[in-house]
Amino acid sequence: QSVLTQPPSVSGAPGQRVTISCTGSSSNIGADYDVHWYQQLPGTAPKLLIYGNKNRPSGVPDRFSGSRSGTSASLAITGLQAEDEADYYCHSYDSSLSGSVFGGGTKLTVL
Amino acid sequence: QITLKESGPTLVEPTQTLTLTCTFSGFSLSTNGVGVGWIRQPPGKALEYLALVYWDDDKRYSPSLRGRLTITKDTSKNQVVLTMTNMDPVDTATYYCAHWTSGGYFDYWGQGTLVTVSS
């Protein structure tokens, strides 16, 4: 059971907007630690998608955006494309564990 | 250009010790604010943080595995080594090493290496 909770799956049609939630607690997201997001395409290593809650690395389309509020964070994907079909993971720091924690991952299906 | 690559055995017997090496290029592990971490992913399951070594040789481990893990760095060779003792079939996973930044995230990842624990 992951410290950060994500929905197991989300889906949307091409062109639609989807959001993926990441719920933590007072020892991680709620303690003001940053949240980062990774995209893992099938059979490949994770790729940094969002860092510091809302920042995109160079090359990541602006269709991807992140936000954080209270003990939760969200990843939003607009203008959904078939190539967005992947697993998405949130990541933060937990003070009670003194280390990184990941969410359980969310599988995005593009209908 | 930062790259990382994991190497080690693909098959380990139960109770044995696993030794994995991460060989990297494009950065120095003696640079302030840099680290290298290990993360694993059992087949079909989520990512799990294992350990992290910082530029100043400080080390952090996942509490659930702390007694079994050791992480070391060799700055001159641009390598980080992870050892995990008393391997069990539940430790079967793809093991990744990744470049860590002071922002707290892993911005570059290796391709991963699948380790199977079986007799």
Side-chain angles (χ1 to χ4, degrees):
Chain A
Q1 189 169 351
S2 302
V3 173
L4 303 179
T5 301
Q6 298 179 232
S9 63
V10 297
S11 63
Q16 285 190 331
R17 178 181 186 269
V18 296
T19 61
I20 298 172
S21 62
C22 175
T23 302
S25 67
S26 59
S27 61
N28 42 69
I29 301 175
D32 210 30
Y33 290 109
D34 285 341
V35 178
H36 322 292
W37 293 88
Y38 304 87
Q39 177 192 58
Q40 187 176 33
L41 297 170
T44 69
K47 167 194 165 186
L48 181 65
L49 194 65
I50 297 287
Y51 67 93
N53 306 312
K54 61 180 182 179
N55 303 295
R56 289 185 309 276
S58 174
V60 173
D62 59 6
R63 301 187 296 105
F64 295 90
S65 63
S67 63
R68 183 192 69 176
S69 178
T71 58
S72 296
S74 288
L75 172 70
I77 310 172
T78 58
L80 209 53
Q81 300 180 4
E83 66 201 50
D84 299 333
E85 192 160 284
D87 293 324
Y88 293 84
Y89 292 91
C90 60
H91 165 219
S92 187
Y93 179 87
D94 191 285
S95 58
S96 64
L97 298 174
S98 297
S100 283
V101 287
F102 286 94
T106 298
K107 181 175 181 59
L108 169 63
T109 301
V110 181
L111 302 172
Chain B
Q1 178 190 4
I2 291 177
T3 64
L4 305 98
K5 187 171 184 179
E6 308 86 352
S7 60
T10 58
L11 180 64
V12 175
E13 292 189 358
T15 75
Q16 283 189 333
T17 294
L18 170 68
T19 299
L20 293 173
T21 300
C22 176
T23 303
F24 57 85
S25 64
F27 69 96
S28 172
L29 201 36
S30 60
T31 299
N32 199 321
V34 169
V36 171
W38 285 93
I39 302 101
R40 72 178 178 179
Q41 185 174 37
K45 297 189 177 181
L47 301 172
E48 179 185 16
Y49 162 77
L50 299 179
L52 180 60
V53 60
Y54 297 92
W55 76 97
D56 59 1
D57 209 32
D58 191 14
K59 298 158 186 175
R60 294 286 185 264
Y61 298 99
S62 166
S64 62
L65 292 165
R66 177 172 286 132
R68 297 175 54 203
L69 297 175
T70 303
I71 189 169
T72 59
K73 67 180 179 71
D74 187 329
T75 305
S76 64
K77 292 183 177 179
N78 282 352
Q79 290 182 333
V80 170
V81 174
L82 180 76
T83 61
M84 181 180 294
T85 60
N86 195 24
M87 294 292 285
D88 183 273
V90 299
D91 296 313
T92 294
T94 296
Y95 287 75
Y96 297 99
C97 64
H99 175 271
W100 178 91
T101 80
S102 57
Y105 52 91
F106 298 103
D107 54 353
Y108 295 92
W109 295 63
Q111 64 187 26
T113 184
L114 175 61
V115 178
T116 301
V117 184
S118 174
S119 55

